[in-house]
Amino acid sequence: MDKILSNIIGTWQVSVPTPFGINISNVNIKSIEPFVSGTITGERGSIDFDNCIVSGDTITFCVTVNTPIKATLTVSVKVIDDKFQGTLEIDQYTKLPIIGKKNVDL
């Protein structure tokens, strides 16, 4: 496993500021080479994703949620050491900033 991929793998605490307040969730990213997948866990439960694209220090994945509305979320973040930042796009209409910190106490 290369250094960039090893930086991506692990548990992240993720924050997304929304019009309704800050949404905080945990993202667990794992790898069984050459595939990268994970699980997002938040106040509305958990959802798996397995369509990750890792390009250099950037990871991108999509997930479809059904609550509070059905929507496709596309996450694209740049990983720098134990932090990341990027965007969360909702159905190609709304982009929100997203930040994360790795290896939080859960």
Side-chain angles (χ1 to χ4, degrees):
M1 181 181 309
D2 66 27
K3 183 176 188 258
I4 293 171
L5 187 56
S6 67
N7 275 353
I8 293 170
I9 303 306
T11 302
W12 298 80
Q13 184 178 55
V14 177
S15 300
V16 180
T18 73
F20 308 106
I22 296 176
N23 185 324
I24 297 175
S25 58
N26 293 309
V27 177
N28 184 4
I29 300 173
K30 56 190 172 192
S31 174
I32 301 173
E33 290 193 52
F35 304 104
V36 178
S37 61
T39 304
I40 302 169
T41 304
E43 63 184 46
R44 292 190 171 106
S46 297
I47 190 164
D48 295 327
F49 57 90
D50 60 4
N51 53 353
C52 295
I53 298 169
V54 178
S55 177
D57 57 0
T58 300
I59 183 169
T60 303
F61 62 88
C62 296
V63 65
T64 301
V65 296
N66 293 309
T67 60
I69 60 169
K70 185 172 183 174
T72 299
L73 310 178
T74 302
V75 176
S76 181
V77 295
K78 182 175 182 174
V79 177
I80 303 168
D81 298 321
D82 66 345
K83 295 181 174 67
F84 68 62
Q85 64 182 20
T87 58
L88 168 68
E89 187 173 339
I90 304 170
D91 283 336
Q92 301 178 358
Y93 300 111
T94 302
K95 282 188 178 181
L96 300 170
I98 183 172
I99 59 171
K101 181 168 175 41
K102 189 173 184 184
N103 293 333
V104 296
D105 293 327
L106 300 175

